[in-house]
Amino acid sequence: MLTHTYSYEATLADSLKVNWQVNDLIGPDKQLDFSRPFLPESLAGVRELSSLSDREKLLLNQIRANGYLFMFQITEEFVLPFMLEQARSATPGGDAYEVRALITFAEEEAKHIHMFQRFAAEFARGFHVPCTVVGPLADIANTLLKHSAIGLTLLALHLEWMTQTHYLESIKDDQDVDPLFKNLLRHHWMEEAQHVKVDTLLLDKFVRTGGAEAVAQGFADFAAIGGMIDGLLQQQVQFDLDALEAASGRKLGAAERQDLTVAQTRSHRYAFLVSGLLQKNFLATVDQLSPGAADSMRETARALSM
């Protein structure tokens, strides 16, 4: 049982106040500025890569930004059907606020997928060099959906609290990054701030109905998914370095590539695993579910940071 102050009624009301459309954010009259970085240094981890020129660091920052949004798209692709299933399970005869909050959540996830697809198209047009991403996307989403409801909700909660941390602590006040890219992340954050409340409410319900055995399975699934995501991130590092070679016109030496692999693997892990595992609200939630779980998350984060 979780302690929180959220309700479906209040969350729905807050969600309906956030009203934006994809065409408001990106399009022919709203284009990316490829003369500027897209990600803050804390998430891109390129500034200290001494073997790269300033131009190569900028290219790698932009390549990382493309992969950063794609990793979020992976999340949205599994969350969308998961939320639609929760809405279906709540009907007929369910609480109207719960049903509407779940459907609104799902609609917003579909909108985010659309936004990420539009960004990918604009990025491809402006960057001129193909940037491979992990996949196939549908296969990843389908694999994730085989896990338990608690495991999937823990993953969503981890990523959504992580999104809050990234925007508020790294992106919001960064004056160097491209304003259009920052604006995309701002609007994504605005809706994810409501999604974390719905996920907490769902997690509370799943724990109440499933009991200790379901919670244990949920944590096991969360760990397994984390290992899967780590594997995808390591694969993405290699794709990023391939794209850097193509964009810069320079072949990386074997030793240089190895050094860049180590540094960028650490950066990828921080962005998508460590920063979420150490997020204070996420840690507070998991400790309520299983005393000592927060310490386990911190230990995992330490291991991934080495």
Side-chain angles (χ1 to χ4, degrees):
M1 196 165 88
L2 296 177
T3 300
H4 60 81
T5 60
Y6 306 141
S7 72
Y8 285 113
E9 181 178 359
T11 301
L12 176 63
D14 288 340
S15 294
L16 295 177
K17 294 174 187 175
V18 181
N19 183 25
W20 58 266
Q21 300 302 316
V22 174
N23 287 339
D24 298 335
L25 307 182
I26 192 166
D29 61 334
K30 305 175 187 68
Q31 297 184 339
L32 296 161
D33 182 356
F34 284 90
S35 70
R36 304 180 68 161
F38 293 165
L39 278 181
E41 172 60 19
S42 61
L43 299 177
V46 302
R47 189 173 296 155
E48 301 304 318
L49 302 177
S50 58
S51 69
L52 300 184
S53 67
D54 288 345
R55 174 175 174 268
E56 289 169 336
K57 291 176 183 178
L58 177 62
L59 291 171
L60 183 54
N61 178 290
Q62 293 169 352
I63 292 165
R64 283 290 308 277
N66 181 62
Y68 180 81
L69 286 196
F70 184 78
M71 289 301 296
F72 276 119
Q73 186 175 342
I74 290 175
T75 304
E76 316 284 358
E77 292 282 358
F78 93 79
V79 172
L80 174 56
F82 181 69
M83 284 300 154
L84 288 173
E85 175 60 23
Q86 302 316 309
R88 188 202 63 78
S89 298
T91 58
D95 177 77
Y97 289 115
E98 178 181 359
V99 174
R100 290 188 62 200
L102 292 169
I103 292 174
T104 298
F105 190 143
E107 191 278 331
E108 289 168 352
E109 297 292 74
K111 183 170 61 174
H112 296 172
I113 291 171
H114 184 196
M115 179 179 74
F116 297 148
Q117 291 172 340
R118 286 283 296 277
F119 165 82
E122 293 295 331
F123 181 87
R125 275 192 285 271
F127 197 72
H128 303 302
V129 172
C131 296
T132 303
V133 289
V134 295
L137 189 57
D139 290 351
I140 296 173
N142 288 334
T143 299
L144 289 172
L145 287 167
K146 293 177 182 178
H147 293 87
S148 66
I150 291 179
L152 291 175
T153 308
L154 283 171
L155 174 62
L157 199 63
H158 161 267
L159 292 169
E160 286 156 1
W161 278 124
M162 182 192 81
T163 302
Q164 311 306 303
T165 299
H166 286 189
Y167 182 74
L168 294 173
E169 296 183 6
S170 297
I171 299 163
K172 180 174 179 287
D173 295 322
D174 193 308
Q175 302 304 311
D176 295 328
V177 300
D178 172 37
L180 188 145
F181 191 81
K182 181 191 286 191
N183 198 40
L184 295 179
L185 296 180
R186 174 176 175 269
H187 284 79
H188 182 238
W189 159 76
M190 288 165 64
E191 292 185 335
E192 294 298 338
Q194 308 312 318
H195 295 179
V196 75
K197 301 173 187 177
V198 174
D199 275 329
T200 300
L201 289 161
L202 282 175
L203 187 59
D204 194 18
K205 180 175 74 172
F206 295 148
V207 170
R208 288 171 184 267
T209 57
E213 184 175 343
V215 170
Q217 183 61 54
F219 275 108
D221 285 345
F222 179 70
I225 293 169
M228 174 183 168
I229 291 175
D230 188 43
L232 294 174
L233 294 174
Q234 293 183 57
Q235 184 180 11
Q236 189 60 53
V237 169
Q238 299 308 313
F239 290 152
D240 290 351
L241 295 181
D242 291 343
L244 175 62
E245 289 183 331
S248 66
R250 181 173 76 87
K251 182 74 173 177
L252 300 170
E256 180 185 16
R257 185 169 181 123
Q258 178 58 29
D259 288 345
L260 292 174
T261 294
V262 171
Q264 281 292 286
T265 297
R266 187 180 297 114
S267 178
H268 275 264
R269 283 173 166 171
Y270 171 77
F272 273 96
L273 294 171
V274 173
S275 62
L277 290 173
L278 296 180
Q279 209 282 337
K280 64 179 182 179
N281 296 298
F282 179 72
L283 290 175
T285 297
V286 298
D287 237 16
Q288 286 187 62
L289 295 179
S290 178
D295 288 337
S296 177
M297 298 295 171
R298 293 187 187 96
E299 182 56 39
T300 300
R302 280 193 291 270
L304 289 169
S305 299
M306 296 177 63

